[in-house]
Amino acid sequence: MVKLTFFRHCDPFGYTQDKLRVAMMAVAILSWSCYAQFSGAQTALTPAIENLEESSDVEQLIEQAAELFVAKRPIDARNKLLKAAEVAPNDFRPQMYLGEYYLAQVGHFRLALKYLKNAEQIFNALYSDGKGNIKNPERWKDHANLLYLLAEGFLNLDQYQKSLEIIENFESRYWRDSLPGTKAWVLLKLKRVDEAIKVAQAGILRGAEPGRTFNILGILFSVKDTRELSLDAFAQALEAEKALGSLGQPATPLNNAGEVYRELFRDEEAEGAWRNALSFSDGCEHILPSLNSAILFTDELRLLQAKRALNDFEACFKAQGDKADTEHRGLIALQRGRIALHSGQLDQALAEIEKAREREQWFGKIGTNENDLRFAATIAAAQVNRDYLAASKDRAYPSISSWAYAFVENMERRLRSWWLFRRARTIAIEELEDFEDLSIRNTDSMLEYPTLGELTAGFPRRAFARRIARIEDLDKRAQAKIYYRFYLLMNEIAHGKTARAEEKLTEILNQLRPFDRLMRATVIAQIIKVRKDSRWFGHFPDTSDYPLVEQLFLLAPASIRSLDLKLPVRVLIPEKSSDLLETLVSKITSRRFIKQNENSRFDLRFSESSGDQDIILTVQLEDRQAGRVLVSVADTVQDTRADRARFINNALEEIFSHKTDPASREQLL
């Protein structure tokens, strides 16, 4: 997925690291609060702070704001700074501190940069000679702090070159321990990786914030595919952060180590790292440990646990007060959409994916960019529209007009899905450096690799084969090569090269690990499709195909609808049944089931009971082999077209949706 770096604020006056850590704990990262602590201002929550009087003196307002930050009342502190900015419009300090507040505590980056630019304009008018030199030497600390905040402001708004220019201006005049990490990160965003490594290594030799600098060095080693060195660097960063106690940020190197473990297909260690990260107090300051966990659970089709990981993050994040969600809202919407898609909840999937495509998202602090999110969301939108179209084939409609509306809508979905896949391929080639994310589990990728074959099938065959060959020459991971072979085979099948396709797909299936469930479901689905396409004049499916269809259903029930398949079942109805029940049994079974004899693994059992005026109908899907009920749907139904359509649609949606998570990896191993 993506890697997180982090920025230490609260470093305006060049104090030692230990003092700054104490200040960070006391004032929650705002630099003026550091000033309050080290300049002798009131730093404890005394009774006086509860009765601060409104003042028209800017110095007193700033001092009161500092005390309120110490007391962990940031909203009240912000109000004091707003009043100070109103009282003294030509004083740069309220503007600068407001900019830092919105940058560091709220995450409202545009507003933060607006205040910081105002502060810069005022400061330059008062203290600059027009050539970048400060006329008043006493103001050098303010100038240093302002430059650093501006650099971070532009970084968070993804303006990397501008951020680097300001950092280099700062570096030519000043120093702070967070400088090497910040500069190395900006260089990484500009893809100047080798230069970034030198900057980080020089920072470590100079003793610059070891936790932060080792962390960025670990990320850089990962980008260079020296993953063992990367893990060593993250271990160093983790030790440095843990040594700081409550002031450290151990969740960051733990998250990044988890991503490297995942790149190495050491998924159990990745899950452990993210679980460990979430156990620390800073575990939900950023989305990535939770998001990475959700992605791993989705790949294993532990969809309920994936959803829970995102829910837990949002609950934890909301408890942090007024911090905005602009950094992660697009990422959460994308993953929620994927979970809903694989769960068979297509309306929710469509809504979430559209949010991901439309919502604001900042990338300065993570190792990805806007194109990565847009690319992934475009693929997901194409998949949702494709599945929506397939599922519509078994829907019942309450009226002719609703059927006609759905018919037109489905024509639009067919065209939209085709266009979105085509658009995604264009983005991959033109905007993602010749589809760099095709490297499996690419550090900065937002792609869902088990389902990526549908996209790669549409690339020109020879060009794609050359691209895969180049990647395989560089990538020595055995598990990654399984994916490359699958993508290449999907591409060949799409271009008519189907010789031994089923045999090759079966070989790939047998090489997958038991918990690679989404990939297993994808490969099984392709085997079924190859068989189906090979029978031009034959019947599909025949009894030899039933075990594959049953296996696919147990892995991913929604896939049966998305592939327009029918599930083999034994249908059981009462000896004496009403006309309504018989009608519904006929309509349901004809849409998505094949009636089979005693050899069927699944029973589809119907029953009814009479109420005062209505009939209560129940349909259950039972796994005879496991001896349990998989799905049970009961509803009160009147003998009207609308009620019949509602019952049919609800029953099919419930049967072909994700209900329970499979065994965890620990249980399998």
Side-chain angles (χ1 to χ4, degrees):
M1 181 56 187
V2 288
K3 287 187 168 56
L4 172 70
T5 187
F6 51 96
F7 301 96
R8 307 290 195 193
H9 301 269
C10 193
D11 185 14
F13 305 126
Y15 292 102
T16 66
Q17 181 173 331
D18 290 341
K19 289 183 178 180
L20 286 172
R21 295 294 187 176
V22 174
M24 288 176 65
M25 177 179 66
V27 304
I29 78 179
L30 229 68
S31 63
W32 180 254
S33 301
C34 290
Y35 171 78
Q37 180 164 346
F38 292 111
S39 64
Q42 184 178 5
T43 59
L45 180 56
T46 65
I49 202 170
E50 299 297 336
N51 299 293
L52 289 174
E53 296 181 0
E54 193 62 79
S55 172
S56 59
D57 180 74
V58 66
E59 299 293 342
Q60 187 175 2
L61 286 168
I62 291 176
E63 183 176 334
Q64 290 173 350
E67 293 173 358
L68 288 164
F69 280 123
V70 172
K72 297 183 179 180
R73 292 168 54 180
I75 301 298
D76 294 332
R78 179 202 64 189
N79 292 338
K80 292 292 182 182
L81 292 175
L82 288 170
K83 179 66 176 177
E86 180 183 346
V87 169
N90 294 320
D91 191 325
F92 72 93
R93 293 173 300 166
Q95 303 283 338
M96 182 171 69
Y97 303 141
L98 282 166
E100 187 168 8
Y101 164 76
Y102 283 108
L103 179 69
Q105 288 212 183
V106 181
H108 194 326
F109 302 130
R110 291 194 189 281
L111 186 57
L113 196 58
K114 176 183 176 182
Y115 279 116
L116 292 172
K117 285 182 175 180
N118 288 343
E120 180 186 34
Q121 184 177 3
I122 295 169
F123 185 92
N124 287 340
L126 293 174
Y127 304 112
S128 175
D129 63 359
K131 300 179 180 179
N133 300 312
I134 306 305
K135 293 186 292 187
N136 185 346
E138 294 181 0
R139 289 295 181 183
W140 74 268
K141 293 178 181 178
D142 293 319
H143 183 238
N145 195 40
L146 182 56
L147 284 177
Y148 207 83
L149 291 172
L150 282 165
E152 290 196 14
F154 283 111
L155 170 61
N156 279 284
L157 286 171
D158 309 319
Q159 299 181 41
Y160 308 126
Q161 187 58 46
K162 181 66 175 177
S163 179
L164 181 62
E165 291 170 4
I166 297 174
I167 288 171
E168 289 176 340
N169 184 13
F170 177 95
E171 187 178 25
S172 67
R173 302 165 184 271
Y174 311 115
W175 170 262
R176 65 173 59 182
D177 283 347
S178 57
L179 174 64
T182 300
K183 183 178 180 181
W185 185 253
V186 177
L187 288 169
L188 171 61
K189 300 293 286 188
L190 291 169
K191 301 188 182 301
R192 293 159 62 176
V193 178
D194 292 333
E195 188 178 348
I197 289 175
K198 293 178 182 178
V199 169
Q201 289 174 328
I204 289 171
L205 290 175
R206 193 167 178 174
E209 287 193 351
R212 182 169 186 271
T213 313
F214 269 115
N215 180 68
I216 180 63
L217 186 60
I219 295 171
L220 292 164
F221 282 148
S222 174
V223 172
K224 294 289 286 185
D225 290 335
T226 52
R227 296 185 177 91
E228 294 302 330
L229 288 176
S230 176
L231 290 172
D232 288 343
F234 290 136
Q236 297 269 20
L238 178 60
E239 290 304 312
E241 294 296 337
K242 289 170 68 175
L244 296 170
S246 61
L247 302 179
Q249 293 181 313
T252 295
L254 278 168
N255 170 75
N256 294 338
E259 293 181 355
V260 175
Y261 283 130
R262 182 157 165 77
E263 291 170 11
L264 293 168
F265 289 86
R266 293 158 61 178
D267 291 354
E268 63 281 356
E269 293 172 89
E271 183 179 349
W274 294 324
R275 188 187 300 119
N276 196 7
L278 292 169
S279 70
F280 286 97
S281 58
D282 65 317
C284 72
E285 288 183 8
H286 296 279
I287 179 60
L288 293 181
S290 299
L291 180 65
N292 284 324
S293 297
I295 291 171
L296 177 64
F297 296 146
T298 302
D299 280 3
E300 297 180 359
L301 291 176
R302 296 155 66 186
L303 302 179
L304 300 180
Q305 196 163 347
K307 187 184 298 184
R308 191 178 306 119
L310 297 180
N311 290 343
D312 289 347
F313 166 77
E314 290 190 309
C316 180
F317 189 83
K318 286 179 181 177
Q320 298 187 43
D322 59 341
K323 193 168 184 180
D325 67 347
T326 48
E327 286 186 343
H328 63 249
R329 63 175 61 165
L331 298 173
I332 285 212
L334 174 62
Q335 196 57 32
R336 283 198 185 281
R338 287 171 170 167
I339 294 168
L341 173 63
H342 298 309
S343 298
Q345 300 165 348
L346 298 180
D347 288 326
Q348 180 186 349
L350 190 63
E352 293 290 350
I353 295 300
E354 288 305 313
K355 287 180 187 177
R357 298 182 71 210
E358 296 171 2
R359 281 190 157 189
E360 193 172 53
Q361 173 76 46
W362 309 114
F363 300 96
K365 289 185 180 179
I366 60 176
T368 187
N369 59 48
E370 181 182 0
N371 288 338
D372 292 319
L373 177 60
R374 184 158 53 91
F375 180 42
T378 301
I379 296 172
Q383 292 170 334
V384 173
N385 279 277
R386 173 210 61 199
D387 282 13
Y388 220 110
L389 182 65
S392 69
K393 294 183 179 181
D394 60 33
R395 289 191 62 83
Y397 298 97
S399 65
I400 295 296
S401 60
S402 62
W403 174 87
Y405 178 83
F407 179 80
V408 174
E409 187 179 57
N410 287 339
M411 292 178 63
E412 294 176 353
R413 289 194 189 284
R414 187 186 304 277
L415 180 60
R416 184 166 179 76
S417 179
W418 171 84
W419 183 86
L420 286 167
F421 274 124
R422 183 178 182 275
R423 176 59 185 148
R425 294 184 189 103
T426 302
I427 295 173
I429 295 171
E430 296 180 357
E431 300 178 33
L432 294 179
E433 297 191 1
D434 196 23
F435 201 0
E436 62 178 354
D437 289 353
L438 187 57
S439 177
I440 303 303
R441 296 184 174 184
N442 183 288
T443 298
D444 301 336
S445 172
M446 295 183 181
L447 297 177
E448 186 177 72
Y449 287 102
T451 62
L452 190 61
E454 186 173 12
L455 178 82
T456 62
F459 286 114
R461 186 173 65 82
R462 292 181 180 176
F464 185 70
R466 289 194 296 270
R467 184 76 175 92
I468 287 290
R470 290 198 302 270
I471 293 176
E472 285 199 276
D473 284 343
L474 298 173
D475 196 336
K476 305 306 180 185
R477 297 171 296 165
Q479 287 295 128
K481 292 181 183 297
I482 297 173
Y483 286 76
Y484 298 136
R485 288 200 298 272
F486 178 66
Y487 298 157
L488 186 59
L489 186 54
M490 288 280 284
N491 185 267
E492 290 175 351
I493 292 170
H495 289 84
K497 293 189 64 177
T498 58
R500 298 181 57 240
E502 183 179 343
E503 179 185 342
K504 293 176 182 177
L505 287 166
T506 303
E507 290 175 0
I508 290 172
L509 183 65
N510 292 334
Q511 292 172 341
L512 294 172
R513 301 169 298 179
F515 43 82
D516 293 329
R517 296 187 186 92
L518 184 54
M519 185 62 175
R520 294 184 71 84
T522 304
V523 176
I524 291 170
Q526 189 60 30
I527 293 174
I528 292 172
K529 184 177 184 300
V530 166
R531 287 188 179 186
K532 188 176 180 180
D533 292 344
S534 68
R535 297 174 188 166
W536 295 101
F537 304 104
H539 177 69
F540 184 89
D542 63 26
T543 53
S544 65
D545 301 314
Y546 291 173
L548 272 179
V549 176
E550 291 171 347
Q551 187 179 352
L552 179 61
F553 174 79
L554 290 171
L555 277 170
S559 297
I560 302 298
R561 295 182 90 189
S562 65
L563 293 169
D564 196 21
L565 300 174
K566 293 188 176 184
L567 182 66
V569 295
R570 183 176 66 164
V571 179
L572 303 174
I573 59 174
E575 291 185 5
K576 294 183 179 180
S577 55
S578 65
D579 292 341
L580 175 59
L581 179 59
E582 291 182 357
T583 300
L584 290 173
V585 169
S586 175
K587 290 185 177 296
I588 290 174
T589 55
S590 65
R591 279 172 160 78
R592 196 55 72 188
F593 300 96
I594 297 173
K595 293 182 181 180
Q596 202 185 6
N597 55 22
E598 296 293 327
N599 295 325
S600 173
R601 173 166 184 165
F602 301 110
D603 282 346
L604 191 65
R605 187 184 301 275
F606 293 86
S607 61
E608 63 181 332
S609 59
S610 299
D612 294 337
Q613 295 180 341
D614 303 321
I615 298 175
I616 301 174
L617 300 180
T618 302
V619 56
Q620 290 187 166
L621 185 70
E622 303 168 2
D623 186 343
R624 297 169 64 193
Q625 184 173 318
R628 63 190 180 97
V629 175
L630 300 178
V631 183
S632 181
V633 181
D635 201 357
T636 301
V637 183
Q638 294 182 345
D639 195 2
T640 65
R641 182 168 182 171
D643 258 22
R644 291 196 300 269
R646 177 176 55 80
F647 184 80
I648 292 169
N649 294 334
N650 186 44
L652 291 172
E653 185 171 332
E654 289 295 312
I655 290 171
F656 295 104
S657 63
H658 184 85
K659 288 293 183 295
T660 57
D661 280 354
S664 66
R665 190 183 310 101
E666 290 82 359
Q667 293 170 310
L668 285 172
L669 298 177

